[in-house]
Amino acid sequence: MQTVAQQDEIKALKRFLQKRLQSEAALEVPFQLQCVLKDGELLILVQHEASNEFDTTNIFNTLQQAISAVGSALPNAGSDFQQVHVFLRVAGQKQPYAAEDFTIDNAVAATKNTSELENLLALEEEEENPPLDLELPTNEIDKSATGVKETVEYYSHNIQASQGVQKQPNPKKENPFKATPKVQQESRDSETQSQAPPVPLLAAVGVMAGVLSLASIYALTRPCTIGACYQLQNAQQLNQESIEILRQAKSGQELTIAQQKLQQATEQLKSIAPWSGDRNRAQNMLQTYSAQMARLDLVLSGLNKATQATQKSQNPPHSVQEWRDILALWNEAIGQMRQVAPNSSVYPLVKHKLEEYQLNVAIVNQRIRTEQQADQQLIEAKQTAQVAEARMGNARTFENWQQVFNSWQAAVDALKTIPATTMAYKEAQDLLLNYRPKLATARDRRAREQISANSYNQAVSLASLAQRLEQQGQWSQAVATWRQASTSASQVPSESFYYNQTQPLIDAYANSLKQAEANLKIALVLQKARLDLNRTCAGAPRICNFTVANDGIKVYLTPAYYNKVIRTAATANINGDYNTQVALQDHIETLQAALVAISENATLPLALYDHRRQLIGTHTPKR
């Protein structure tokens, strides 16, 4: 007797299976599903209207997967059954037109995700009645468990008998498919009314009966002729194993194993005799499995193309054409993978591989672009080197060698940027061994010509400045500038463009320096004379004014000073002031001696004038 907990769980299981059929088996037409736990076996009846047709294989597979996912997760009812019988029936008919048996492995089912159990038990909180569009009219289906039991009792009994399982018949239930007494009586009457044939005819009939007996024996020994069709069950099991492998597959080896299981499943189905009642179902399953194998062939072919592409990619670098061949293999692999539908069991692996292959396509495209750029850089470097060679033969000035250097530098830079992962890299390294010494030569010549040009231009510029300073009488600065100009001219390197042009300037600048130094000495003498005269002529009132030139010195007594001396002398003479007269005489002698000394130091003649600019005395230096 079922407990209340078992009844609730069977009820929840019924709703769960009904929703699973609606979603995964895509049953969009009205149907009714009933579940009964009977003698340790789970009986399931799916009933629909006569106008609707279903993919029976899809329904059986969906129910098997759903029950396998939650069977052991039912704490009260799940442990009471391992054998499941599924029946399909048209509404209004007592006998099912299709049936399927399978066994639930609780050890395997126990490892399923607990989310299935949560979904199953959550169904108990839903409304008591399923959606209206899932129910059949009440006059076309018996909603009670009794209707299910009566419907499946006959099939259940025959299945058990074919498997060698002896079960006690249920005395409370009557087999609805058993022949009525009236039909049995008519059959016996028909047999008694038949007449025995003649003996020869009996012999012929015997021979024919023997042949038919042998044929019958052969036919009956063919798979799925009588009893349960184990080939169907084996094929379904192999298909399920293949699906599980595909869902978790990460390599082509696992796909090969899944393909082998599918191949075994198809062989099982092909062995079913054409006269078997399961022939149509087997053909439908064969069609489904063949489509699965075709998808697997696509995936395996794609994996094979990817393997070829990977092998060809080994040991780079490769030429542009080789990379294009590799790219074509990756694109073929992607094209075959994209033919697999997203709802396929192998799609998780396909999706992962598509992402991987698309990344590889991007990498190969980048490799192609890199090889093309490297080839272009190599060509440009060679062309630039040819220009540098031509310029080097005609280079003279700093500007010429600057162009030569720039050309060699551009060629070397282009070669240095060629990646080591390209085919052009080795040739680029060989060219660098040739180009770098020429770049160094161009650098040295450019530096020499730059020094030559700078020294020459600086010498010419300083000489021009020294001449202007001489014109301004700034002999000290002129001497320093001539000295710098001579130094710059001497720094022009030999074997340079300006060397020959600078040699005449060196002698000219040396002579100009000597002349400037002489003039500087004169200027210094004159400057000292002016300073000495300025000190000598100073007083109150001022004693004298003067001019200093290269030809001599002129000193002019001021009127104020001259008149003061005359008055002082006259007053002292009138007053008989001897001291004043002596002091005045000493003053005039001192002034005279100072002027003579200045003339001697400057080696210039000196002329003395009175306040009226009348010459009153001269002095010519002895040197």
Side-chain angles (χ1 to χ4, degrees):
M1 180 176 182
Q2 294 183 7
T3 64
V4 175
Q6 287 177 328
Q7 293 175 357
D8 290 341
E9 290 181 352
I10 293 298
K11 185 177 180 181
L13 177 62
K14 164 192 169 184
R15 293 184 177 180
F16 172 72
L17 296 178
Q18 188 158 328
K19 286 182 175 292
R20 183 63 67 89
L21 282 177
Q22 184 180 10
S23 61
E24 296 190 6
L27 295 186
E28 298 180 354
V29 298
F31 72 94
Q32 181 67 39
L33 184 144
Q34 296 289 345
C35 297
V36 175
L37 187 61
K38 179 176 180 292
D39 297 332
E41 296 181 348
L42 180 63
L43 309 179
I44 300 174
L45 173 65
V46 180
Q47 181 170 267
H48 61 88
E49 294 181 353
S51 60
N52 297 320
E53 295 181 358
F54 297 108
D55 184 352
T56 58
T57 301
N58 191 15
I59 294 176
F60 291 145
N61 289 342
T62 300
L63 290 175
Q64 182 177 0
Q65 294 172 12
I67 295 173
S68 298
V70 301
S72 65
L74 299 171
N76 296 296
S79 61
D80 290 343
F81 68 89
Q82 289 185 343
Q83 190 69 25
V84 180
H85 304 285
V86 183
F87 305 90
L88 301 183
R89 186 178 70 177
V90 177
Q93 299 293 328
K94 287 188 176 182
Q95 295 186 8
Y97 65 84
E100 178 69 17
D101 303 331
F102 54 85
T103 302
I104 300 300
D105 188 350
N106 288 336
V108 174
T111 63
K112 299 292 183 180
N113 193 319
T114 56
S115 61
E116 297 288 354
L117 174 59
E118 294 173 357
N119 294 333
L120 176 60
L121 297 179
L123 295 174
E124 295 180 329
E125 299 178 1
E126 297 178 353
E127 296 181 1
E128 176 66 19
N129 295 321
L132 294 177
D133 60 348
L134 298 179
E135 292 189 6
L136 293 172
T138 55
N139 61 347
E140 294 185 6
I141 184 168
D142 182 7
K143 295 184 179 179
S144 66
T146 303
V148 179
K149 294 178 182 179
E150 291 178 350
T151 302
V152 304
E153 184 180 37
Y154 174 77
Y155 269 77
S156 176
H157 177 73
N158 288 344
I159 290 171
Q160 293 161 1
S162 65
Q163 296 175 348
V165 177
Q166 297 296 329
K167 295 189 62 179
Q168 295 297 327
N170 189 344
K172 299 180 180 180
K173 300 296 177 181
E174 182 179 358
N175 188 344
F177 306 116
K178 183 174 62 175
T180 61
K182 181 178 180 181
V183 174
Q184 294 174 356
Q185 181 63 38
E186 290 176 355
S187 176
R188 286 193 299 267
D189 293 344
S190 175
E191 292 175 0
T192 56
Q193 291 175 2
S194 60
Q195 299 295 326
V199 173
L201 180 59
L202 288 176
V205 170
V207 173
M208 292 179 63
V211 172
L212 292 175
S213 176
L214 291 175
S216 299
I217 292 173
Y218 171 78
L220 290 176
T221 58
R222 296 300 88 202
C224 299
T225 302
I226 60 173
C229 187
Y230 297 111
Q231 283 71 17
L232 282 177
Q233 297 178 8
N234 292 339
Q236 288 175 332
Q237 180 64 30
L238 289 168
N239 177 60
Q240 185 62 32
E241 292 174 0
S242 174
I243 291 173
E244 292 298 329
I245 293 173
L246 293 178
R247 287 174 177 171
Q248 302 177 5
K250 299 186 185 308
S251 65
Q253 183 177 4
E254 292 172 295
L255 295 187
T256 302
I257 295 174
Q259 188 183 47
Q260 292 173 352
K261 289 186 176 293
L262 271 178
Q263 183 63 38
Q264 295 172 6
T266 57
E267 291 174 357
Q268 290 281 326
L269 295 174
K270 289 178 180 179
S271 67
I272 296 176
W275 50 84
S276 170
D278 295 302
R279 177 68 173 181
N280 290 336
R281 182 178 172 190
Q283 291 300 312
N284 292 335
M285 292 171 65
L286 267 175
Q287 185 177 2
T288 301
Y289 295 172
S290 297
Q292 293 176 1
M293 290 186 65
R295 287 192 292 269
L296 278 180
D297 289 339
L298 283 174
V299 177
L300 288 171
S301 178
L303 290 174
N304 182 50
K305 295 293 183 183
T307 300
Q308 295 179 36
T310 301
Q311 292 174 349
K312 285 181 172 290
S313 301
Q314 300 300 316
N315 302 319
H318 303 298
S319 66
V320 172
Q321 185 57 50
E322 288 174 329
W323 282 119
R324 285 174 176 166
D325 294 341
I326 294 170
L327 179 63
L329 289 173
W330 283 121
N331 285 329
E332 289 180 21
I334 290 174
Q336 290 175 338
M337 291 289 189
R338 281 179 175 169
Q339 298 182 46
V340 179
N343 60 355
S344 174
S345 302
V346 76
Y347 190 74
L349 174 63
V350 169
K351 181 180 179 183
H352 173 73
K353 291 298 182 181
L354 278 175
E355 294 173 354
E356 177 184 333
Y357 296 171
Q358 287 167 351
L359 177 61
N360 290 337
V361 165
I363 293 173
V364 172
N365 279 324
Q366 181 59 46
R367 287 279 197 169
I368 292 174
R369 288 192 294 269
T370 301
E371 286 290 342
Q372 291 174 335
Q373 292 173 358
D375 291 343
Q376 184 62 32
Q377 285 176 288
L378 188 63
I379 294 172
E380 292 176 356
K382 291 179 178 179
Q383 293 174 347
T384 305
Q386 291 176 354
V387 173
E389 290 278 8
R391 287 177 174 173
M392 183 177 284
N394 300 320
R396 296 291 182 271
T397 66
F398 166 76
E399 290 74 13
N400 298 150
W401 283 106
Q402 179 66 47
Q403 292 178 345
V404 173
F405 173 80
N406 291 341
S407 297
W408 282 120
Q409 186 67 62
V412 169
D413 289 343
L415 294 177
K416 287 168 61 178
T417 57
I418 293 177
T421 57
T422 61
M423 292 289 290
Y425 179 76
K426 185 179 184 305
E427 185 176 357
Q429 296 304 304
D430 294 339
L431 291 175
L432 280 174
L433 295 176
N434 183 30
Y435 291 175
R436 279 174 172 155
K438 296 180 179 180
L439 174 63
T441 299
R443 182 187 295 110
D444 293 342
R445 288 300 304 270
R446 181 192 65 167
R448 181 184 302 173
E449 291 300 334
Q450 185 174 21
I451 294 173
S452 174
N454 291 342
S455 298
Y456 174 81
N457 292 330
Q458 187 176 21
V460 172
S461 177
L462 288 171
S464 178
L465 177 60
Q467 291 172 353
R468 290 195 300 270
L469 291 172
E470 287 180 344
Q471 293 172 1
Q472 297 170 5
Q474 299 179 12
W475 295 105
S476 178
Q477 296 181 14
V479 168
T481 304
W482 280 118
R483 189 174 287 116
Q484 291 176 357
S486 297
T487 301
S488 296
S490 65
Q491 290 177 346
V492 174
S494 60
E495 297 181 3
S496 67
F497 179 76
Y498 287 102
Y499 180 76
N500 294 331
Q501 301 180 42
T502 307
Q503 296 309 303
L505 299 180
I506 294 176
D507 295 336
Y509 293 169
N511 294 331
S512 297
L513 176 60
K514 291 179 182 180
Q515 184 64 41
E517 289 174 343
N519 291 333
L520 176 61
K521 290 180 181 180
I522 295 173
L524 292 175
V525 170
L526 296 178
Q527 182 178 7
K528 187 175 185 305
R530 291 188 184 94
L531 293 175
D532 292 341
L533 287 170
N534 194 46
R535 285 193 299 267
T536 301
C537 293
R542 183 174 177 80
I543 297 174
C544 58
N545 293 318
F546 58 87
T547 61
V548 178
N550 292 339
D551 55 352
I553 301 172
K554 294 179 180 181
V555 179
Y556 303 93
L557 296 177
T558 64
Y561 170 74
Y562 184 83
N563 291 332
K564 182 178 179 180
V565 169
I566 295 298
R567 285 195 303 270
T568 302
T571 300
N573 187 33
I574 293 172
N575 295 330
D577 187 354
Y578 178 74
N579 292 329
T580 300
Q581 292 177 352
V582 172
L584 183 58
Q585 184 64 34
D586 291 341
H587 168 73
I588 293 173
E589 291 177 355
T590 301
L591 176 60
Q592 183 179 357
L595 293 175
V596 171
I598 292 172
S599 175
E600 290 290 338
N601 291 333
T603 66
L604 292 174
L606 184 143
L608 180 61
Y609 297 86
D610 64 7
H611 65 294
R612 294 177 182 176
R613 299 214 169 196
Q614 297 294 324
L615 181 64
I616 59 176
T618 62
H619 177 79
T620 301
K622 298 177 181 180
R623 292 179 296 178

